[in-house]
Amino acid sequence: MAQKASVAAPYAAYLRVYEPLAAFPEPERAHWVRYAKREDLPSAQEEIGRSLAALLPVPPEAVPVRESADAFVAEVDGVTCVCPWRTRLRGWQSMAALSQAAGERELELPPAVLDAALPPVVRRQAAVDYERWLRRNPEARPWIRTALWHVPVRWFVLFSGEEKEFAKTESGEESRQQFVLRYRTPMVQARRRLARGLKVLREELEEGPLVDGLVDVGRWLEEFHPRSLVELDYGGLVHAIPEKRLAEDHSAADVAEGIAALREGDGERAGAAYERLTDRWATVRELQFAS
């Protein structure tokens, strides 16, 4: 039996889509049917722990040799839904984004540090492998999106404040107390909120990163089954943010209020909601530089 990862990664948040089993073609569907019946389903921390462990060898395994056969599982109105990890695909995409940021000099770490962690030869080989694989799988897309040290504002547009779930859980052999903060909503609701929010932002604001980001998320969501479940998970961020601040975090409600205020022409109320949001996440982002 594989050893469970115990690495707690306090920096990543996730946007996930869980699709009903009927959305998958055979023989993949049969695999997920069997998989969903397991009693030892892995956690999100195990997924990130395995990824971090792969970086320890020399040279590091930046992208898995084989695609993951694991997934997250959820039940929606009696229907089993799965969110495949697709670790290999996501690794390639992360490497591509990393290389682009390095080329545009937008990385927040020195090039020497990047080269030490992921040597140029490793990054070049990953790029070649990804391009070759993508030619054979042009329609491939991940079920999971990741953000480091923050939750993108565009993700909150998909949810309402009432969908926030904040709870304590028991984890590990020592029954350590941890927190879970997440939002879940049906795909139809997520798409409806995104369309409404995008309409308001395009009417009231100039084109920019927020509008472009929402368009990108909308295109991604269109790739999935209409009866899917959409989840925003604070993931490892709950290890870095104090409990009181997690309990008082109403980011989705602030985004919804800001959009509603823009629609009603109330710039002052929209500005106040945006200020609450930016102040909250600026504080979280600063944690990555703490020693």
Side-chain angles (χ1 to χ4, degrees):
M1 179 180 293
Q3 184 177 1
K4 288 184 179 293
S6 60
V7 179
Y11 54 76
Y14 307 93
L15 186 64
R16 304 187 182 106
V17 173
Y18 294 76
E19 284 197 285
L21 295 172
F24 296 89
E26 294 290 4
E28 185 179 5
R29 182 189 307 171
H31 166 74
W32 293 131
V33 169
R34 293 191 301 270
Y35 184 92
K37 296 177 181 178
R38 288 173 47 175
E39 295 182 358
D40 59 338
L41 293 172
S43 67
Q45 281 301 315
E46 287 180 64
E47 183 207 11
I48 191 65
R50 294 181 196 177
S51 299
L52 293 175
L55 297 178
L56 296 178
V58 180
E61 184 183 283
V63 177
V65 177
R66 295 180 179 82
E67 187 54 272
S68 171
D70 286 303
F72 298 115
V73 179
E75 188 170 298
V76 184
D77 297 329
V79 176
T80 299
C81 297
V82 297
C83 174
W85 286 5
R86 291 297 192 271
T87 309
R88 194 180 194 212
L89 172 59
R90 289 162 55 212
W92 273 325
Q93 293 181 334
S94 295
M95 292 287 285
L98 189 65
S99 297
Q100 180 179 353
E104 297 174 357
R105 298 188 178 184
E106 294 182 353
L107 284 177
E108 295 181 345
L109 71 162
V113 176
L114 172 61
D115 291 344
L118 291 169
V121 64
V122 173
R123 304 202 302 271
R124 286 195 297 270
Q125 186 59 54
V128 171
D129 293 343
Y130 181 37
E131 183 177 350
R132 183 185 303 120
W133 182 89
L134 203 55
R135 286 197 295 269
R136 300 193 304 269
N137 302 273
E139 303 299 324
R141 79 283 197 257
W143 279 254
I144 305 173
R145 290 191 167 195
T146 305
L148 302 180
W149 287 111
H150 75 299
V151 176
V153 172
R154 57 186 176 275
W155 291 6
F156 288 116
V157 175
L158 310 178
F159 306 91
S160 72
E162 292 75 19
E163 290 166 340
K164 175 183 175 180
E165 301 176 22
F166 179 52
K168 296 180 181 179
T169 63
E170 299 292 336
S171 177
E173 295 179 359
E174 300 176 359
S175 296
R176 291 178 300 174
Q177 202 170 64
Q178 297 183 355
F179 299 100
V180 173
L181 198 167
R182 70 185 183 191
Y183 293 82
R184 283 181 166 182
T185 198
M187 176 64 77
V188 64
Q189 286 282 23
R191 289 175 177 170
R192 184 179 295 120
R193 290 172 183 142
L194 186 146
R196 290 173 177 172
L198 190 57
K199 181 176 184 295
V200 171
L201 293 173
R202 278 176 163 164
E203 290 175 350
E204 302 299 332
L205 302 177
E206 297 180 359
E207 295 285 333
L210 181 55
V211 170
D212 293 342
L214 274 177
V215 170
D216 177 62
V217 171
R219 288 173 178 165
W220 179 61
L221 293 181
E222 288 297 327
E223 297 289 331
F224 299 100
H225 194 282
R227 293 191 62 189
S228 298
L229 174 74
V230 185
E231 175 185 79
L232 190 168
D233 182 2
Y234 275 44
L237 289 177
V238 298
H239 300 292
I241 304 174
E243 177 183 1
K244 185 174 186 293
R245 283 172 53 192
L246 289 171
E248 295 175 350
D249 184 326
H250 300 292
S251 295
D254 287 337
V255 169
E257 181 176 351
I259 291 175
L262 283 175
R263 184 171 56 246
E264 296 165 8
D266 190 339
E268 183 176 350
R269 184 158 62 95
Y274 181 73
E275 185 175 357
R276 290 195 301 273
L277 193 70
T278 53
D279 287 350
R280 180 181 302 123
W281 288 103
T283 302
V284 175
R285 280 183 175 273
E286 290 172 359
L287 294 174
Q288 65 184 302
F289 304 111
S291 59

